[in-house]
Amino acid sequence: MKRVKLGLAALLSMLLVLLAGCQAVGGVDVGKAALSTLDVKSSMSKQTLSIQLVPTDGKLTEKDRKMIELINSFSLTIDQANMQDMNHTSIEGTAKFNGKKLPFHMAMDKKALTLSVEGMTQPVSVPLELEDFAGPKMNNDSIIQMYKDVWGFMLKHAPNPSSISVTPVTDKVNGESLSLQKLHIDIRGDELVGLAKGFLTSVSKDKEGVKELISRMYDTYYPIFEAYAGAPEEATASVSKAEKEKNINEGVEEMMKALNELLPDFDKNVNELFANSPEFKEVFSKNTVLSLDYLLDSKLNIRKQNIDLTVQLPSSKGLPVKQVKVHSEGETWSVNEPVTVHEVDSSKGIWSVKQGEATPGETLRHVDRQSELYRLLKDDMNITKKSLILYTEKDPKDLNDAGYEPVIVNNTLMVPLKYVADALDAKLTWDNATKQMTLTEDLTGSKIVLKVGSKQASIDGVTKTLAQPVQSFEGYAYVPMNFITEALGAKGSWDAKGLALTIKRD
């Protein structure tokens, strides 16, 4: 997320590399154009994205029809994206979904991503830095160099597709009329196998080039990989020159060996794959098409683009869609000129949350209940819905996997408290002084208080009597299923024949 703009630039360059190959076309150095996108330090741009599912010719079920209509209703419009530098970006636009319009404003810096969507009571801020990683980190320069090393190597070996052309055009970018070069590329699914083989064949003949690439990446990324693996930083810095050379040569030999084993039977293996899995042949057919238009200025910067992707899906009885179509277009201006990001309005405060920690209940509490966003999250996306299944062994009265499976005690079905609480996003705390456990229900905030060995519990201060006391099995607290599912706004269904418990919350 921290590198969204850089990632988009890398994606554009990757498409040029993979689809345009390394040959100059119409006087335009496609390879240079591909890598020049990585030299953009600041810019302003706008973009649109839409998705269309094409239904199969047969009759659709009502559920499939609604699903297709829902996905087809989605579109994204970025009215203005400002990249001040590689660490500061802001994006303003509108997402449309199921007839609802949701304006949004996002800003990123080194430390956090801040997002405001119409209907939120406060913008949310998500930290982007890794708190627990103390090893060497990749900076923007090293990331850019990585892309250049990799894509430069690919440019050297990538063949051109059959349909590629360059023509001079005059077009408007942000209202300004410019003289540009239009690079047009069409590539079909049935070309991909041949392009892949041509690329791999060329790489197999360039052992020195492979070694150079691995060597350059080794110097930059080996210490980082080792640090992530847990090795102390001083250990990664002490690799001898001989050991480094040995590691690089082993990597090169493994890659060349793999290529030399793959290529002789490449066509045979592909044909066997298509014969055994005809669905792959449908996907990689002429009906899968990627069409690209890149408009380049005199410095080979991409100033305008139009992308259409159609993916042919395999014919399947249970698949209601035969094609997926994606359309995107955009334009870029103020390239490498002074640009200022637009900060998100934080006058009403900020909701700070770590990645992956925002529960459905907490999310909805930060959204106006009368807003389109609330209805989208609650009714259309069903973020409060939960479902889990717990299985027992042959005799449900015997507990073999404490903490994860239910057990029957005196004709009462008991479930592991923490496992069920975690699945339903309830917060569980322990009071060592009173020896009590308190559950905070995610959606309503209700407090459920329990104690091991006691049949007495309370919900928001109201005493409840349990069918069986809370029990501890191998250190895991177990409670009656009917009580805890109802307290957490869910329902449990016991399948005595299948020895499975299904818990669902709408």
Side-chain angles (χ1 to χ4, degrees):
M1 296 172 71
K2 185 177 181 180
R3 316 293 185 188
V4 169
K5 291 295 291 183
L6 183 57
L8 289 175
L11 177 61
L12 291 174
S13 66
M14 180 180 69
L15 287 172
L16 282 174
V17 169
L18 294 179
L19 303 180
C22 59
Q23 303 300 316
V25 180
V28 172
D29 187 335
V30 179
K32 187 176 180 180
L35 296 179
S36 69
T37 60
L38 301 175
D39 293 323
V40 175
K41 306 299 183 184
S42 63
S43 68
M44 299 176 69
S45 61
K46 59 184 178 181
Q47 195 87 21
T48 62
L49 173 70
S50 61
I51 300 173
Q52 180 189 1
L53 301 184
V54 181
T56 55
D57 299 326
K59 187 177 180 180
L60 297 174
T61 65
E62 184 64 14
K63 182 180 179 180
D64 289 337
R65 183 186 65 79
K66 287 184 177 181
M67 179 272 294
I68 292 173
E69 288 179 353
L70 193 64
I71 294 177
N72 287 349
S73 71
F74 172 79
S75 66
L76 178 68
T77 300
I78 296 175
D79 297 311
Q80 187 168 313
N82 290 7
M83 182 170 70
Q84 180 173 314
D85 53 46
M86 299 308 296
N87 294 314
H88 297 83
T89 302
S90 64
I91 300 175
E92 297 164 86
T94 302
K96 296 180 181 178
F97 188 76
N98 201 25
K100 299 176 176 65
K101 293 183 179 181
L102 298 172
F104 67 90
H105 183 182
M106 180 175 70
M108 290 181 292
D109 57 24
K110 279 186 176 182
K111 296 182 178 180
L113 179 151
T114 305
L115 172 67
S116 176
V117 181
E118 187 174 273
M120 295 178 64
T121 57
Q122 291 178 318
V124 59
S125 178
V126 181
L128 297 177
E129 294 184 321
L130 297 176
E131 297 179 357
D132 300 329
F133 179 63
K137 295 179 175 66
M138 290 192 300
N139 56 32
N140 288 322
D141 290 338
S142 65
I143 292 174
I144 292 173
Q145 189 58 53
M146 177 189 72
Y147 286 138
K148 286 186 174 181
D149 289 343
V150 174
W151 302 142
F153 177 79
M154 295 180 72
L155 276 169
K156 182 179 178 181
H157 299 289
N160 283 344
S162 59
S163 178
I164 181 171
S165 63
V166 172
T167 54
V169 297
T170 299
D171 208 332
K172 288 187 176 181
V173 176
N174 193 38
E176 180 184 4
S177 184
L178 299 175
S179 296
L180 304 166
Q181 294 287 328
K182 179 180 178 180
L183 173 63
H184 177 77
I185 303 169
D186 282 325
I187 184 166
R188 303 190 316 269
D190 55 1
E191 287 185 274
L192 290 174
V193 171
L195 291 174
K197 182 180 179 181
F199 173 77
L200 295 174
T201 300
S202 180
V203 172
S204 71
K205 299 175 182 179
D206 187 20
K207 186 174 182 178
E208 287 303 313
V210 171
K211 183 175 181 179
E212 181 182 356
L213 176 65
I214 292 179
S215 298
R216 295 181 66 176
M217 297 186 71
Y218 186 99
D219 291 336
T220 304
Y221 306 112
Y222 180 76
I224 297 174
F225 295 152
E226 285 293 293
Y228 270 108
E233 188 172 350
E234 58 270 17
T236 64
S238 61
V239 177
S240 66
K241 184 176 180 180
E243 185 177 358
K244 170 187 169 182
E245 185 72 12
K246 177 176 176 292
N247 291 337
I248 291 173
N249 287 335
E250 287 178 352
V252 173
E253 292 301 325
E254 285 295 322
M255 181 177 290
M256 303 310 292
K257 179 182 177 182
L259 288 172
N260 291 328
E261 290 177 351
L262 173 67
L263 285 170
D265 296 320
F266 186 88
D267 294 333
K268 177 184 175 183
N269 291 333
V270 169
N271 291 333
E272 288 180 355
L273 174 66
F274 286 165
N276 296 329
S277 304
E279 62 271 17
F280 285 110
K281 192 170 184 178
E282 289 187 72
V283 174
F284 294 104
S285 70
K286 64 180 181 180
N287 294 322
T288 291
V289 181
L290 178 61
S291 181
L292 302 165
D293 285 319
Y294 289 116
L295 275 66
L296 311 171
D297 62 17
S298 59
K299 297 180 180 179
L300 298 182
N301 293 312
I302 300 175
R303 303 297 300 276
K304 204 166 186 175
Q305 69 268 353
N306 192 314
I307 303 173
D308 282 290
L309 171 64
T310 298
V311 179
Q312 182 70 33
L313 299 181
S315 302
S316 173
K317 186 177 181 180
L319 190 63
V321 178
K322 64 180 180 181
Q323 285 183 336
V324 178
K325 295 185 176 183
V326 180
H327 174 74
S328 176
E329 55 187 69
E331 50 191 78
T332 303
W333 62 97
S334 298
V335 178
N336 291 328
E337 296 178 4
V339 173
T340 303
V341 299
H342 295 169
E343 300 292 346
V344 173
D345 181 9
S346 59
S347 59
K348 296 181 180 179
I350 292 287
W351 171 33
S352 297
V353 58
K354 293 182 179 180
Q355 294 182 32
E357 291 189 359
T359 65
E362 189 175 11
T363 299
L364 291 178
R365 283 190 285 278
H366 284 85
V367 178
D368 182 352
R369 296 178 68 90
Q370 305 303 316
S371 67
E372 292 284 12
L373 178 60
Y374 188 92
R375 286 187 282 272
L376 172 67
L377 295 173
K378 182 73 167 59
D379 302 330
D380 296 332
M381 298 182 67
N382 300 309
I383 68 168
T384 61
K385 282 193 173 183
K386 294 285 182 175
S387 179
L388 66 148
I389 301 177
L390 292 81
Y391 296 96
T392 66
E393 299 296 330
K394 293 181 180 180
D395 186 349
K397 294 180 182 179
D398 294 333
L399 184 60
N400 295 295
D401 192 7
Y404 298 95
E405 67 176 33
V407 64
I408 294 178
V409 178
N410 296 329
N411 296 319
T412 298
L413 186 63
M414 309 282 286
V415 295
L417 179 61
K418 188 176 188 309
Y419 185 79
V420 173
D422 288 346
L424 297 177
D425 299 307
K427 184 179 180 181
L428 178 62
T429 58
W430 167 256
D431 188 331
N432 193 50
T434 63
K435 307 300 181 184
Q436 290 181 331
M437 297 170 289
T438 300
L439 275 175
T440 304
E441 202 277 324
D442 181 47
L443 301 183
T444 65
S446 293
K447 303 289 186 181
I448 302 109
V449 180
L450 301 148
K451 189 173 185 178
V452 174
S454 175
K455 293 179 69 173
Q456 301 302 309
S458 70
I459 301 178
D460 291 334
V462 178
T463 300
K464 302 288 184 179
T465 301
L466 309 181
Q468 289 291 321
V470 180
Q471 299 187 34
S472 177
F473 295 105
E474 299 180 24
Y476 294 95
Y478 271 69
V479 296
M481 183 274 291
N482 286 335
F483 168 79
I484 197 62
T485 52
E486 182 178 350
L488 295 178
K491 292 182 179 180
S493 176
W494 169 245
D495 179 1
K497 185 177 180 180
L499 298 177
L501 170 65
T502 300
I503 297 176
K504 291 184 178 182
R505 184 184 71 192
D506 292 331

